[in-house]
Amino acid sequence: MRKPMIAGNWKLHKTLDEACGLVSEIIPAVASNQDVEIVVAPVFTALSKVAEILSGSNIKLAAQNCYPEPQGAFTGEVSPLFLKDVGCHYVIIGHSERRQIFGETNDFINAKARALADAGLGTIFCIGETLEERESDQMFDVLRHQVRLGLKNLSTEQMSNVVIAYEPIWAIGTGVTASDEQAQEAHAFIRALVKELYNPKVADATRILYGGSVKPGNVDGLMTQPDVDGALVGGASLKAADFARIVNFEKV
Ligand code: PGA
């Protein structure tokens, strides 16, 4: 049985005070939920303080990015070693904003995936197609390419720390969500791909999250799909009540 995961990606939002306030509101709202793995990913500068507030709660901490080398002359970067040190359980990599705005390649993302595996940190590995790619029937090729290269050289054992997030780029921050059927179709394809690259056991155990305009109003339908194991939530994770409602989803 795959434990559902709901992860809030706060992106570049919430100052230190605001982050502490938000997480203090989320904690009681989700405290009774033991069925879902709950994760929040604040900005780097808030990680340490948020980690303190989360201590003893059922919410885990994630970072939004990392650099693949453990330490050295890499001005401005933060590595898995330092993120683990501050209390992170997970790190998001491969987000479309990093791919598109910062030009991150599949190879670079793979280096991060391997560094996280080496550090024993969980990875939330994002993939997804553009609208243009979907409309020109390239979606499956794009997803295959991203998964193959992004997870290259990760062992079967290391895959147990990897969560895949399918985030169609046309659905991120746009208010347009993939339909339940579109999400299920992509998730089933990704699971089949993991089976092909690894084995049926790994495919069955790997959680695949959906991301892209997930809200209280659409989470229940998405979570009812057999291959949707959770959500990576941007905008709606910035409001405690909305995020809590998503965490406390109900299958329809
Ligand atoms: P959104 O963002 O929920 O605001 O669409 C999702 C994401 O980018 O992870």
Side-chain angles (χ1 to χ4, degrees):
M1 265 297 275
R2 298 183 292 268
K3 186 171 187 173
M5 174 188 279
I6 302 290
N9 172 12
W10 295 2
K11 306 192 181 184
L12 186 48
H13 294 291
K14 304 290 175 191
T15 61
L16 186 55
D17 274 358
E18 290 166 351
C20 294
L22 177 57
V23 87
S24 303
E25 269 188 79
I26 293 173
I27 291 171
V30 300
S32 62
N33 193 327
Q34 300 302 326
D35 302 329
V36 174
E37 188 172 15
I38 309 164
V39 178
V40 293
V43 295
F44 284 131
T45 49
L47 287 174
S48 169
K49 196 81 192 181
V50 169
E52 276 175 35
I53 300 172
L54 289 180
S55 139
S57 79
N58 58 338
I59 305 177
K60 291 180 181 159
L61 189 66
Q64 299 174 19
N65 184 28
C66 69
Y67 189 73
E69 294 297 330
Q71 51 189 312
F74 304 105
T75 302
E77 295 299 320
V78 181
S79 75
L81 182 74
F82 288 77
L83 296 172
K84 201 172 173 182
D85 186 42
V86 92
C88 288
H89 275 83
Y90 288 98
V91 177
I92 299 170
I93 59 169
H95 193 281
S96 62
E97 285 149 20
R98 300 231 44 104
R99 292 177 189 264
Q100 294 194 318
I101 304 170
F102 302 98
E104 293 195 5
T105 62
N106 287 308
D107 285 348
F108 188 48
I109 294 161
N110 178 245
K112 297 183 188 202
R114 284 184 286 120
L116 287 167
D118 289 346
L121 275 169
T123 298
I124 300 176
F125 167 60
C126 306
I127 55 173
E129 82 286 356
T130 62
L131 188 58
E132 209 183 358
E133 287 162 347
R134 173 174 275 265
E135 287 178 342
S136 58
D137 287 333
Q138 293 177 71
M139 166 179 137
F140 294 120
D141 287 342
V142 169
L143 296 179
R144 182 181 291 111
H145 197 64
Q146 290 175 339
V147 170
R148 265 183 181 282
L149 296 183
L151 299 181
K152 201 166 132 194
N153 293 328
L154 284 199
S155 69
T156 299
E157 199 180 59
Q158 288 173 327
M159 277 300 287
S160 64
N161 274 332
V162 174
V163 176
I164 298 175
Y166 168 63
E167 300 206 305
I169 294 168
W170 46 272
I172 296 179
T174 57
V176 181
T177 323
S179 67
D180 298 346
E181 294 72 25
Q182 285 172 323
Q184 171 56 27
E185 182 190 31
H187 284 226
F189 173 78
I190 295 161
R191 196 173 308 286
L193 201 54
V194 174
K195 184 172 164 187
E196 186 187 307
L197 295 172
Y198 290 90
N199 60 48
K201 209 170 152 208
V202 173
D204 197 45
T206 301
R207 288 175 294 179
I208 306 175
L209 314 183
Y210 169 79
S213 299
V214 175
K215 301 179 269 260
N218 58 27
V219 67
D220 297 346
L222 287 161
M223 289 306 297
T224 304
Q225 303 305 309
D227 287 297
V228 176
D229 306 313
L232 182 55
V233 188
S237 71
L238 299 172
K239 285 195 190 130
D242 285 0
F243 185 63
R245 172 61 184 84
I246 293 170
V247 166
N248 299 324
F249 66 85
E250 288 166 27
K251 291 201 179 197
V252 288

